[in-house]
Amino acid sequence: DIQMTQSPSSLSASVRDRVTITCRASQNINNYLSWYQQKPGKAPKLLIYAASSLQSGVPSRFSGSGSGTDFTLTISSLQPEDFATYYCQQSYSTPRRTFGGGTKVEIK
Amino acid sequence: EVQLVESGGGLIQPGGSLRLSCAASGFTVSSNYMSWVRQAPGKGLEWVSVIYNSGATYYADSAKGRFTISRDNSKNTLYLQMNSLRAEDTAVYYCARDHYDDYGLPNWFDPWGQGTLVTVSS
């Protein structure tokens, strides 16, 4: 199985901060990487697919980059509604896909 | 509007069975790939099963032999039949539309339903 490791597992940040979350795959997954945002008690929401493509309706302050084994999700200017948990997900081994452990973004 | 609404969760004893439903609106389930993804309390996300528009099905090792994914085209509804339930199956179960690429391979999940909680306990 392809393991996805996110870092950090949690972080504290202030509104308007630039935030970067890292996701590392245990093997090359090309660009088969998606990012989701999940707020407490809610379903995950797709933010980024194919490593860097922004899902329709998602604010442009979210961006994704990377290829191979190392990927990043960047929030250019953190907004109050962005405090949530973020997950990466690989689809290289589709249909059996795996998620990272999550990164919780909290208010400093 | 595209929407998914799960139901059927609840408290069940170990070894019992439960069938989850996911009613779709705004799109046709049978024309799409559909998945179940679960999340144990306070934990991360785990893909469980997918059904292709062709009817082909795939399962995570944790679900193989115990869970069955299916759909009812007339009701535009996805199902997950869960048998021989274990304490470790306790989770919120989400259904999600599965986006597939030009090669017919499923990639990302969008949208997701609100989830239904399954608790396996005596």
Side-chain angles (χ1 to χ4, degrees):
Chain A
D1 288 3
I2 299 175
Q3 308 301 320
M4 306 300 293
T5 303
Q6 287 184 234
S7 60
S9 56
S10 66
L11 64 90
S12 296
S14 301
V15 173
R16 292 182 295 280
D17 279 355
R18 182 181 182 88
V19 170
T20 298
I21 298 169
T22 297
C23 180
R24 176 164 290 175
S26 59
Q27 67 179 73
N28 179 15
I29 61 169
N30 293 332
N31 71 333
Y32 291 97
L33 194 284
S34 304
W35 290 97
Y36 300 85
Q37 176 193 66
Q38 186 179 34
K39 296 181 179 179
K42 300 295 186 181
K45 172 188 172 184
L46 177 68
L47 299 176
I48 302 285
Y49 61 92
S52 60
S53 295
L54 190 68
Q55 172 67 351
S56 175
V58 174
S60 59
R61 63 180 179 273
F62 290 93
S63 64
S65 65
S67 184
T69 60
D70 294 319
F71 302 85
T72 59
L73 173 70
T74 299
I75 310 172
S76 60
S77 177
L78 196 66
Q79 297 301 300
E81 61 268 30
D82 300 337
F83 291 95
T85 299
Y86 294 84
Y87 293 94
C88 62
Q89 172 244 316
Q90 66 82 18
S91 53
Y92 185 84
S93 63
T94 192
R96 296 171 184 82
R97 288 151 285 177
T98 51
F99 293 84
T103 295
K104 187 174 184 179
V105 177
E106 299 177 300
I107 302 172
K108 182 183 286 185
Chain B
E1 180 190 5
V2 172
Q3 191 173 13
L4 295 165
V5 178
E6 299 96 333
S7 61
L11 175 63
I12 187 78
Q13 291 189 338
S17 298
L18 208 57
R19 188 179 80 159
L20 307 183
S21 300
C22 170
S25 56
F27 72 100
T28 302
V29 166
S30 61
S31 299
N32 285 268
Y33 290 18
M34 298 293 297
S35 271
W36 287 96
V37 177
R38 69 184 182 182
Q39 186 171 35
K43 302 297 184 182
L45 300 163
E46 179 188 17
W47 172 79
V48 174
S49 180
V50 62
I51 184 167
Y52 290 10
N53 52 11
S54 66
T57 59
Y58 298 90
Y59 299 90
D61 288 345
S62 58
K64 203 174 301 181
R66 300 187 301 127
F67 294 3
T68 302
I69 191 171
S70 64
R71 66 190 180 212
D72 184 328
N73 297 343
S74 67
K75 295 182 178 179
N76 207 31
T77 298
L78 176 74
Y79 300 103
L80 185 68
Q81 176 68 42
M82 304 187 294
N83 300 329
S84 303
L85 283 162
R86 308 164 179 164
E88 53 265 37
D89 295 318
T90 295
V92 174
Y93 285 74
Y94 297 99
C95 64
R97 186 171 62 179
D98 215 326
H99 180 93
Y100 57 95
D101 61 19
D102 293 342
Y103 301 100
L105 298 174
N107 279 267
W108 56 87
F109 308 101
D110 179 69
W112 299 56
Q114 86 289 349
T116 187
L117 175 63
V118 174
T119 303
V120 184
S121 175
S122 54

